[in-house]
Amino acid sequence: MDKCLNKNEARALIERFAQKQQGGHFACPRCGKMTMDAESVTRNALSRRATVHICDACGMQEALEDMMDSITPLAAWAIVAAPENWRMEECAVSNGNMRGANMSKDWTSEDVLKLTCPVCGKEFQREDMDFTRDCHGITFRLVCFDCYDKVMGKGYDGAYYTEADECIEEDY
C-alpha cells in the first residue's frame, strides 16, 4: 500500500491505537512483529516518538536513533503502512486516490474482523479471545474464552516438552 498519511495523520492513528492497545495483544506498531509482551502491554518499551508501547527491540532502536541523531518518522511505522493489520482502518481508496478515512465513522459489529477459534471452529471478535500458554509459559495460540478453560485445564496448552525436545544445536 502506498503511504497515504502525512505526519499529523500518522500521529493521530498511532495515538488512537495506543488507547486500543491497553485492551489486547497486538503486534508492535513500529516494526509489525509479534514480539510484544502478551501478559501486560506496560511491560513493553514506551516509544520516544509517540505515547504508545512498542517492542523492546524497537525501544532499543529508538534509543540508538536518538544517540545517532537519526529519527525514523512515524509515517514509516508498520501500523501506518498497513493499519488494517491492527484493525485500524485509516486509509480508504476513493476514485483511485488514497485519502484519510473519516475519523468520526460509526463502526458496527459487522466492521470488526472476526477470528476463528482453532478448538471449536466458531468465529469471535479478538476481544472475546485469549492466548493460551505452553508448559513453559510461552504464548501458544489464540482461543475463545469458552475453549480457554477447557484447554488450560491441565495448566498449559499443547504437549509437554523440554529443551532436549527442541533440538537446539550444541553451538547455538
Side-chain angles (χ1 to χ4, degrees):
M1 173 185 290
D2 295 330
K3 183 173 76 169
C4 63
L5 302 178
N6 65 32
K7 181 175 72 171
N8 293 331
E9 291 171 330
R11 180 172 299 283
L13 172 70
I14 292 168
E15 288 176 1
R16 280 186 39 236
F17 171 71
Q19 296 169 355
K20 184 178 186 176
Q21 189 179 40
Q22 301 297 325
H25 180 66
F26 297 94
C28 173
R30 189 173 189 272
C31 67
K33 297 179 182 173
M34 287 298 290
T35 54
M36 301 285 285
D37 188 317
E39 196 67 31
S40 172
V41 70
T42 57
R43 291 185 184 173
N44 298 292
L46 186 61
S47 174
R48 296 163 178 243
R49 314 287 178 251
T51 309
V52 66
H53 290 277
I54 56 177
C55 69
D56 290 339
C58 285
M60 181 61 72
Q61 183 63 34
E62 284 189 355
L64 292 171
E65 287 175 358
D66 282 352
M67 192 171 72
M68 301 300 286
D69 199 27
S70 169
I71 296 174
T72 301
L74 295 177
W77 282 28
I79 191 171
V80 175
E84 64 277 3
N85 294 345
W86 285 264
R87 295 187 304 278
M88 301 294 292
E89 304 295 333
E90 189 63 27
C91 296
V93 178
S94 174
N95 299 329
N97 297 322
M98 300 302 287
R99 63 172 177 77
N102 184 355
M103 298 288 275
S104 63
K105 179 182 187 290
D106 292 327
W107 296 98
T108 64
S109 60
E110 289 81 31
D111 294 326
V112 178
L113 176 69
K114 299 266 185 163
L115 302 172
T116 303
C117 174
V119 178
C120 66
K122 296 178 185 173
E123 288 190 342
F124 295 92
Q125 292 182 5
R126 169 59 185 93
E127 292 77 21
D128 298 327
M129 301 177 84
D130 201 5
F131 282 97
T132 61
R133 305 280 179 182
D134 70 3
C135 62
H136 295 289
I138 299 170
T139 302
F140 190 66
R141 62 182 170 170
L142 190 61
V143 299
C144 68
F145 289 141
D146 293 334
C147 293
Y148 181 87
D149 294 330
K150 296 174 199 169
V151 171
M152 294 298 290
K154 62 183 174 188
Y156 59 90
D157 190 6
Y160 182 82
Y161 66 95
T162 65
E163 287 183 20
D165 297 325
E166 294 181 3
C167 300
I168 296 177
E169 297 176 13
E170 293 177 11
D171 61 344
Y172 175 69

